[in-house]
């Protein structure tokens, strides 16, 4: 009898986590680019084992935890454009295409459908605001590389808030300004820059990290770039703006793009920090939900998994050593850039200098103790590189790493317990989390095209089969 009462109490508590109103006024859609189940679990282990937290990730606080399949129309392994299109519009398409079906017929996103019904709309990303995932919510192009058209489509969208790293075609290859920003101005969009720009107000506003030709990312959390915008601040700014211009109802998409970039690099320590940063941003929306529990829906998922990340490696076997990356203060990309500066300058650099740098930035010989064999191997590779003899490069989607850097991070990852199957996307299922009004619609394992249809079904209070997608 006591056991039955306990089960009934748990069931009632779970039901209580789902708001009872017929439809929400506020919908948050969080997309962790490249974020698989193990990316999330490794971040939780870091919170517990390294940060000493007794709390859980915000994602894990949500009563709904499920999964979705990510394949595209053309491949079992999707790219970000096809995955973004599926998550935004409810339609499969070919890899590389945005906002249209495989027959090149344009399809509307849930952001467009809601906007046309009077909802405010905001889009936030740590990547370029004209990149694949955010672009899927407003553009219709055959090739995700059509960045000028994608940028103009954002200006034409009418959406009240957008924030990201930059616009690829705001400047040409020589750094000269193009017509694009003038086009935004003609459409009534005020463009601001950096953290100060997030504090501005306008009827329609676009906030970019900086007015430069480097538009692909705001940078990794682990690199602590001075003055860089932070995803949590971008999320706060989006909420403020939408509550100001459309307080009755709004839709907001937030993408954590650095998870994918670090996944392509097979950089476990950076992945963990990016997931934690994404979760901190999610906390902003979750706090909003706690203030408006009967009016808010939050859905969290990923467009695909990147890297084939594991929890445990051939080195750690039946254990994890997450504290090994506690002292990592630099991303694999920034580390590689430093190595390239060694090779490129006129000064002589020795192995001791390199070891000191690795001790400072990676905890080499502090939180992680390399074996004599590993030290000798790396010292030999370093001397070979410094003498001008080439090492095989490791090429990924966003970066090319010298062989020395690739080996350093391979050793570090394996010793911490992070294994990787690929430098690319994989076809693995990805997590789905939900809380709030209609969250119960996300309990079953789904296809990525189901997610936006269910969101729209809740937002418009109609059967999934009847949503206008």
């Amino acid at each position: 009898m006591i056991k039955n009462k306990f089960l009934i109490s748990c069931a009632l508590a779970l039901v209580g986590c789902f708001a009872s109103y017929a439809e929400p006024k506020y919908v948050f859609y969080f997309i962790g680019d490249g974020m698989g189940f193990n990316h999330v679990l490794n971040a939780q282990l870091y919170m517990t084992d390294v940060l000493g937290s007794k709390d859980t990730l915000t994602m894990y606080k949500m009563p709904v935890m499920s999964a979705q399949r990510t394949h595209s129309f053309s491949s079992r392994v999707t790219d970000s454009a096809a995955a973004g299109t599926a998550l935004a519009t409810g339609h499969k398409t070919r890899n590389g295409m945005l906002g249209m079906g495989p027959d090149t017929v344009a399809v509307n996103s849930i952001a467009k459908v809601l906007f046309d019904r009077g909802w405010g709309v905001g889009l936030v990303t740590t990547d370029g605001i004209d990149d694949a995932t955010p672009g899927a919510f407003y553009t219709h192009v055959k090739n995700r590389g059509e960045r000028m058209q994608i940028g103009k489509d954002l200006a034409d969208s009418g959406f009240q808030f957008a924030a990201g790293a930059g616009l690829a075609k705001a400047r040409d290859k020589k750094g000269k300004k193009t017509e694009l920003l003038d086009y935004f101005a003609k459409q009534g969009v005020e463009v601001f820059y950096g953290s100060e720009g997030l504090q501005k107000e306008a009827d329609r506003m676009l906030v970019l990290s900086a007015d430069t030709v480097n538009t692909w990312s705001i940078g990794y959390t682990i690199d602590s770039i001075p003055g860089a915008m932070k995803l949590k601040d971008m999320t706060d700014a989006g909420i403020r703006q939408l509550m100001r211009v459309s307080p009755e109802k709004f839709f907001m998409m937030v993408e954590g793009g650095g998870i994918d970039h670090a996944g392509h690099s097979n950089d476990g320590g950076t992945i963990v920090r990016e997931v934690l940063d994404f979760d901190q941003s999610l906390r902003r929306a979750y706090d909003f939900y706690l203030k408006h529990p009967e009016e808010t829906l939050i859905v969290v998922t990923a467009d695909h998994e990147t890297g084939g990340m594991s929890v445990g490696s051939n080195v750690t076997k039946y254990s994890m050593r997450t504290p090994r990356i506690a002292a990592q203060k630099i991303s694999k990309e920034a580390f590689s850039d430093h190595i390239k500066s060694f090779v490129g300058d006129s000064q002589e650099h020795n192995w001791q200098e390199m070891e000191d740098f690795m001790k400072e930035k990676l905890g080499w010989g502090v939180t992680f103790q390399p074996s004599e064999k590993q030290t000798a191997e790396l010292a030999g590779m370093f001397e070979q590189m410094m003498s001008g003899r080439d090492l095989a490069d490791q090429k990924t989607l966003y970066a090319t790493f010298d062989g020395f850097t690739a080996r350093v991070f391979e050793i570090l990852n394996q010793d911490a317990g992070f294994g990787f199957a690929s430098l690319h996307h994989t076809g693995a299922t990805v997590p789905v989390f939900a809380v709030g009004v209609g969250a119960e619609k996300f309990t079953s394992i789904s296809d990525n095209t189901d997610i936006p249809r269910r969101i729209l079904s809740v937002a418009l209070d109609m059967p999934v089969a009847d949503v206008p997608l």
Side-chain angles (χ1 to χ4, degrees):
M1 179 66 71
I2 293 175
K3 181 178 180 182
N4 288 339
K5 286 183 178 180
F6 174 75
L7 292 174
I8 291 171
S9 297
C10 289
L12 291 174
L14 181 61
V15 170
C17 291
F18 301 121
S20 58
Y21 276 33
E23 59 191 75
K25 294 169 59 176
Y26 312 111
V27 175
F28 293 90
Y29 197 6
F30 277 74
I31 300 173
D33 192 351
M35 185 181 73
F37 281 99
N38 288 342
H39 297 68
V40 178
L41 179 54
N42 280 322
Q44 179 62 62
L45 294 177
Y46 187 89
M47 275 184 65
T48 304
D49 298 343
V50 178
L51 302 182
S53 175
K54 296 181 180 180
D55 201 1
T56 67
L57 293 166
T58 307
M59 286 177 265
Y60 283 163
K61 297 179 187 298
M62 297 186 174
V64 169
M65 288 184 274
S66 187
Q68 54 109 338
R69 300 177 296 272
T70 64
H71 63 278
S72 71
F73 178 87
S74 59
S75 177
R76 292 295 181 188
V77 180
T78 188
D79 83 325
S80 292
T85 298
L87 290 177
T89 73
H91 291 271
K92 294 285 188 185
T93 195
R94 302 178 191 277
N95 286 359
M97 298 173 69
L98 270 178
M100 56 175 54
D103 54 1
T104 71
V105 174
V107 289
N108 282 330
S109 74
I110 55 176
K112 169 65 173 172
V113 172
L114 293 174
F115 179 78
D116 287 347
R117 284 165 171 74
W119 289 56
V121 173
L123 305 175
V124 171
T125 179
T126 59
D127 287 350
I129 193 61
D130 52 357
D131 207 354
T133 299
F137 286 86
Y138 59 81
T139 196
H140 313 281
V141 292
K142 294 180 182 179
N143 189 315
R144 62 184 290 186
E146 298 176 40
R147 302 294 275 268
M148 178 62 80
Q149 183 60 52
I150 296 172
K152 288 184 176 181
D153 286 344
L154 175 59
D156 291 336
S157 69
F159 299 167
Q160 295 95 334
F161 183 81
L167 286 164
K169 296 299 181 181
R171 292 179 177 273
D172 61 22
K173 294 180 180 179
K174 296 181 179 180
K176 184 179 179 181
K177 286 187 176 182
T178 67
E179 62 176 305
L180 187 54
L181 292 180
D182 290 337
Y183 190 85
F184 271 86
K186 290 177 182 178
Q187 304 308 312
V189 182
E190 293 193 49
V191 182
F192 305 104
Y193 295 95
S195 298
E196 292 184 359
L198 295 174
Q199 306 304 316
K200 304 292 185 180
E201 292 184 356
D203 291 339
R204 293 187 64 200
M205 58 189 293
L206 169 64
V207 186
L208 305 176
S209 59
D211 185 14
T212 67
V213 295
N214 181 17
T215 63
W216 69 280
S217 171
I218 65 171
Y220 291 121
T221 304
I222 198 170
D223 290 326
S224 301
I225 302 170
M229 291 199 302
K230 300 182 183 300
L231 184 59
K232 60 185 178 182
D233 297 333
M234 298 160 75
T235 303
D236 281 339
I239 294 172
R240 285 197 307 271
Q241 167 72 351
L242 292 174
M243 284 298 285
R244 190 178 68 82
V245 300
S246 185
E248 294 303 317
K249 49 188 177 180
F250 67 73
F251 167 86
M252 186 172 174
M253 188 284 295
V254 179
E255 181 198 22
I259 304 167
D260 174 64
H261 293 186
H264 280 289
S265 299
N266 288 179
D267 183 354
T270 298
I271 289 173
V272 164
R273 269 66 163 216
E274 289 300 306
V275 174
L276 291 176
D277 184 65
F278 177 73
D279 196 73
Q280 288 175 6
S281 304
L282 174 61
R283 182 71 204 194
R284 298 320 205 252
Y286 190 77
D287 287 343
F288 183 95
Y289 154 76
L290 293 176
K291 295 176 182 177
H292 308 273
E294 298 179 338
E295 301 172 317
T296 306
L297 169 65
I298 304 175
V299 178
V300 185
T301 190
D303 52 352
H304 51 74
E305 196 273 353
T306 304
M309 190 181 199
S310 70
V311 182
S313 69
N314 286 331
V315 172
T316 60
K317 300 178 182 177
Y318 292 95
S319 67
M320 282 292 291
R321 303 171 186 165
T322 314
R324 291 288 201 273
I325 59 155
Q328 184 181 340
K329 301 175 184 177
I330 191 171
S331 67
K332 185 176 176 179
E333 290 184 23
F335 185 90
S336 180
D337 288 342
H338 185 78
I339 297 301
K340 290 173 184 175
S341 73
F342 269 29
V343 176
D345 67 24
S346 57
Q347 300 180 26
E348 290 188 8
H349 300 279
N350 57 42
W351 173 239
Q352 183 61 56
E353 186 179 356
M354 187 70 249
E355 273 197 307
D356 289 343
F357 180 76
M358 292 164 65
K359 178 179 179 180
E360 176 190 357
K361 296 296 186 180
L362 300 177
W364 204 266
V366 183
T367 57
F368 166 67
Q369 295 293 338
S371 67
E372 291 183 4
K373 182 178 179 181
Q374 289 169 336
T375 299
E377 175 193 6
L378 291 174
M381 293 179 72
F382 181 78
E383 295 300 331
Q384 179 180 341
M385 187 169 55
M386 289 298 103
S387 66
R389 290 174 289 165
D390 291 334
L391 298 172
D393 285 338
Q394 181 186 64
K395 295 184 178 181
T396 72
L397 182 62
Y398 295 106
T400 298
F401 299 104
D402 61 273
F404 176 79
T405 295
R407 182 59 180 144
V408 166
F409 277 79
E410 181 181 28
I411 292 171
L412 188 62
N413 282 328
Q414 290 180 348
D415 195 74
F418 304 138
F420 291 94
S422 175
L423 293 166
H424 308 281
H425 300 174
T426 74
T429 56
V430 296
V432 177
F433 305 93
V435 67
V437 184
E440 67 276 6
K441 287 184 177 288
F442 300 87
T443 55
S444 62
I445 294 177
S446 60
D447 186 78
N448 52 10
T449 56
D450 295 327
I451 305 299
R453 293 177 183 276
R454 292 175 184 175
I455 290 174
L456 208 54
S457 169
V458 175
L460 300 181
D461 191 22
M462 62 174 59
V464 172
D466 295 338
V467 298
L469 286 177

